[in-house]
């Protein structure tokens, strides 16, 4: 096991009605709140009104319209609002996009320069305004980690940044808030959770047993409960387990102590940067193709573990058959969740594949991935996705 | 899943040589350090000298001789030292006993009355001096949680207390520090880790799937690595996985969102309170007997999960046979780790069983356990242990 620091310090308030604690939580920081949210679904499902009624004693300034792939222009707008209104705390109500945007607003607030600098260079992040979140999507894990991803569409850049100081102070997770999440977002969210786990699971480090068992448990959680949530959107057990899995998948539990960078996320980030597609859908498309591409004598044992421990396939002496069956199961699972499983279905053709492949290798530093990939490799994987 | 708050905020510095960060960590709080430790093993294995050399710029006051079941007299002595020396931070170097003692010293420091009050009534705990730990035993999980257990031998009381403010700020976990832990302590530590997980796993809450998968993963970790650590005390992979499992077993990951109190711990606490035995040994003795005693039509399905998912026993239609095989495996495992598996071997006879059974029910509130137990039940379980 590699050396690591683990520090998932967010106070997680999980369960029905936990929003009742919101005012107690926020008043630790002050009276001036930046309320950050997305396209307005929180106005339809009642959370917006609930927040307003709970925060009558606070001064609320709104940053609304945060995009599904949040953009640097929105971050800049948020920073201005914070400075103009002497904001004490940012309340992000939404999914990963809203929370990511809030984090970078909080970081850029203390940075004396353009907000894009703290995205392109995380070492420029020092202090961060306190972040509190109310989660309305189970996917990115941003509610309990130090990461944020921001897009700059004029240059087709979608980059991740990170800081220990960007971790939310408190996150409120009420599984009932997931009842109205549309089916495709529920499925894409599970694909995102699974991808976070898979990126760490397939690692050159082979002795991080605790982390691998956690990973297998979280994958089984999505496999068990995603179909239930799709069939019965108001199934509390399914929503609760998926919601908790989202936070556990990317707070360091599965990835700490393991070497190697990620692969599918950097590749997908280029798809989103060029075509603004749903992140989880892109991941579901890329993941099984990447798996097939990297399956080899060197990786087959890990794929056997994956097939047996995650998909409960019968152990067999034909390691490659078993490994391929695990990959087949992955692809079939996403398909059965009604995720479009080709880029063509999203209207993406081959025209930008080469550019995206080159950018993925550069931004994702894929020479450090589980299996090192160059831009030809990524091009071939993307071609398999068409 | 039940509502819960999860907040395991400790900064965990894990791996070889992490002690190098000690001075950076401590200087966040001030210059005056209470160094708390036990019987002196840290002087033999070099950690004491290392700490002294790293903290040349600090003023160190020592609280030494903390007992394996730490006593209230030692806590009181620690509080006096903190007050006399204007201590800024407590550095606990040791296992759970030392860390538990440090926590209660830190809590009683701010309490205007006798230290035993904050043990008997956790609601009396408010502020706590910052706690930093260097872990030298993998067992209690105290390095990442809010619990502490203190003994008062004159009244045969061994009670647990807890506070969110008692969670250590930083814990340094270097698996190499476990190389010199004696075999019986290694085995007893694993029994303690497994018991923490088992106490939460067997719960009336049946829909906390994520938590159960984490629990099964941690149990498999102990089952895989305890025998390796016993055979090869300097096996880093084994020590690292056991050490990380100890922190994960009782930081809330496995128990959050589940109802029901604990059973084996309260029963064992009475054994320790009367006979000062090693906590993990007592747990190993009690656990399989408790399992046999509560196995019934109402609980058999959970025992089947336990047998199949933890011990990898072949699924079978005979649920009770499978459940019993899982319990047999548990008992055999502890025995194979050379843990004495009867109270007689520890010199304990029947003379205090009745008193201990009554105290366990009272202190442990066993009417709220997974299977409610009265003092007759506990008596019978203890009898099975003789």
């Amino acid at each position: 096991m590699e050396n690591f620091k683990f520090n998932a310090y967010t106070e997680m308030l999980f369960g029905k009605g936990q929003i009742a604690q919101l005012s107690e939580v926020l008043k630790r920081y002050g009276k001036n709140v930046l309320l950050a949210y997305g396209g307005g679904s929180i106005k339809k499902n009642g959370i917006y009104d609930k927040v307003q009624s709970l925060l009558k004693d606070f001064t609320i300034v709104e940053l609304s319209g945060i995009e599904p792939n949040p953009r640097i222009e929105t971050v800049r707008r948020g920073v201005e609002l914070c400075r103009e209104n002497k904001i004490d705390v940012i309340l992000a109500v939404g999914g990963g996009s809203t929370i990511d945007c809030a984090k970078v607003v909080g970081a850029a607030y203390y940075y004396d320069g353009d907000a894009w600098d703290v995205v392109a260079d995380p070492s420029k992040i020092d202090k961060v305004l306190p972040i509190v979140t109310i989660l309305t999507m189970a996917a990115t894990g941003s509610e309990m980690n130090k990461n944020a991803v921001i897009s700059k569409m004029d240059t087709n850049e979608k980059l991740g940044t990170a800081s220990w100081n960007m971790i939310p102070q408190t996150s409120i997770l009420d599984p009932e808030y997931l009842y109205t999440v549309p089916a495709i977002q529920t499925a894409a969210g599970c694909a995102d959770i699974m991808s976070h786990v898979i990126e760490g699971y397939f690692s050159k480090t082979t002795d991080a047993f605790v982390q691998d068992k956690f990973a297998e448990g979280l994958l089984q959680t999505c496999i068990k409960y995603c179909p239930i949530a799709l069939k019965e959107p108001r199934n509390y057990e399914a929503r609760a387990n998926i919601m908790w899995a989202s936070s556990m998948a990317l707070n360091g539990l599965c990835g700490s102590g393991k070497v190697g960078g990620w692969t599918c996320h950097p590749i997908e980030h280029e798809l989103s940067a060029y075509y603004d597609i749903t992140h989880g859908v892109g991941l579901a498309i890329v993941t099984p193709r990447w798996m097939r591409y990297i399956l080899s004598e060197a990786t087959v044992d890990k794929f056997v573990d994956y097939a047996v421990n995650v998909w409960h396939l019968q152990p067999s002496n034909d390691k490659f058959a078993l490994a391929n069956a695990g990959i087949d199961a992955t692809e079939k699972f996403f398909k059965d969740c009604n995720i479009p499983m080709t880029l063509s279905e999203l209207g993406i053709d081959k025209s930008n594949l080469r550019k995206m492949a080159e950018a993925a290798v550069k931004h994702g530093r894929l020479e450090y991935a589980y299996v090192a990939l160059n831009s030809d490799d990524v091009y071939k994987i993307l071609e398999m996705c068409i």
Side-chain angles (χ1 to χ4, degrees), chain A residues 135-199:
Chain A
L135 191 66
T136 65
M137 279 272 295
T140 73
S142 189
E143 65 276 10
M144 201 183 184
N145 70 36
K146 58 187 164 69
N147 309 312
V149 181
I150 301 295
S151 294
K152 192 159 173 282
M153 298 308 280
D154 60 339
T155 52
N156 291 129
E157 287 177 283
K158 180 178 179 181
L159 299 185
T161 186
S163 162
W164 290 104
N165 294 336
M166 286 202 312
I167 296 177
Q169 301 296 323
T170 297
S171 285
I172 293 172
L173 278 66
D174 185 336
E176 295 189 320
Y177 294 165
L178 301 182
Y179 287 170
T180 53
V181 172
I184 182 63
Q185 297 299 339
T186 297
C190 284
D192 196 17
I193 297 168
M194 292 172 75
S195 179
H196 293 153
V197 174
I198 287 169
E199 298 271 20

Side-chain angles (χ1 to χ4, degrees), chain A residues 2 199-200 202-205 255 258-262 368-370:
Chain A
E2 301 296 311
E199 298 271 20
F202 289 91
S203 159
K204 284 173 190 151
T205 304
K258 307 186 97 183
V259 291
W262 287 16
Y368 299 107
Y370 174 52

Side-chain angles (χ1 to χ4, degrees), chain A residues 209-323:
Chain A
F209 187 84
V210 172
Q211 291 88 326
D212 279 356
K213 290 295 136 185
F214 285 173
E216 290 164 1
L218 294 173
L219 291 169
Q220 290 172 77
T221 303
C222 293
I223 292 164
K224 174 172 180 174
Y225 287 112
C226 185
I228 298 175
L230 291 173
K231 210 170 157 188
E232 308 163 30
R234 302 175 76 83
N235 184 307
Y236 188 82
E237 176 177 342
R239 295 295 195 177
N241 278 288
I242 291 170
M243 197 172 214
W244 192 231
S246 86
S247 305
M248 296 297 107
L250 196 52
N251 64 0
L253 278 185
C254 298
S256 294
K258 307 186 97 183
V259 291
W262 287 16
T263 309
C264 294
H265 269 70
I267 296 175
E268 196 293 319
H269 282 182
E270 299 311 321
L271 290 169
S272 291
Y274 277 78
Y275 296 100
D276 206 12
I277 66 171
T278 300
H279 179 53
V281 171
L283 290 169
I285 294 172
V286 172
T287 298
R289 278 66 182 233
W290 163 71
M291 287 178 162
R292 284 192 210 289
Y293 191 81
I294 65 158
L295 177 60
S296 71
E297 199 56 60
T299 63
V300 68
D301 288 337
K302 192 72 188 176
F303 277 101
V304 167
D305 283 351
Y306 175 72
V308 173
N309 297 337
V310 174
W311 294 100
H312 303 298
L313 301 179
Q314 274 303 326
S316 127
N317 288 333
D318 187 342
K319 292 197 290 187
F320 279 89
L322 189 51

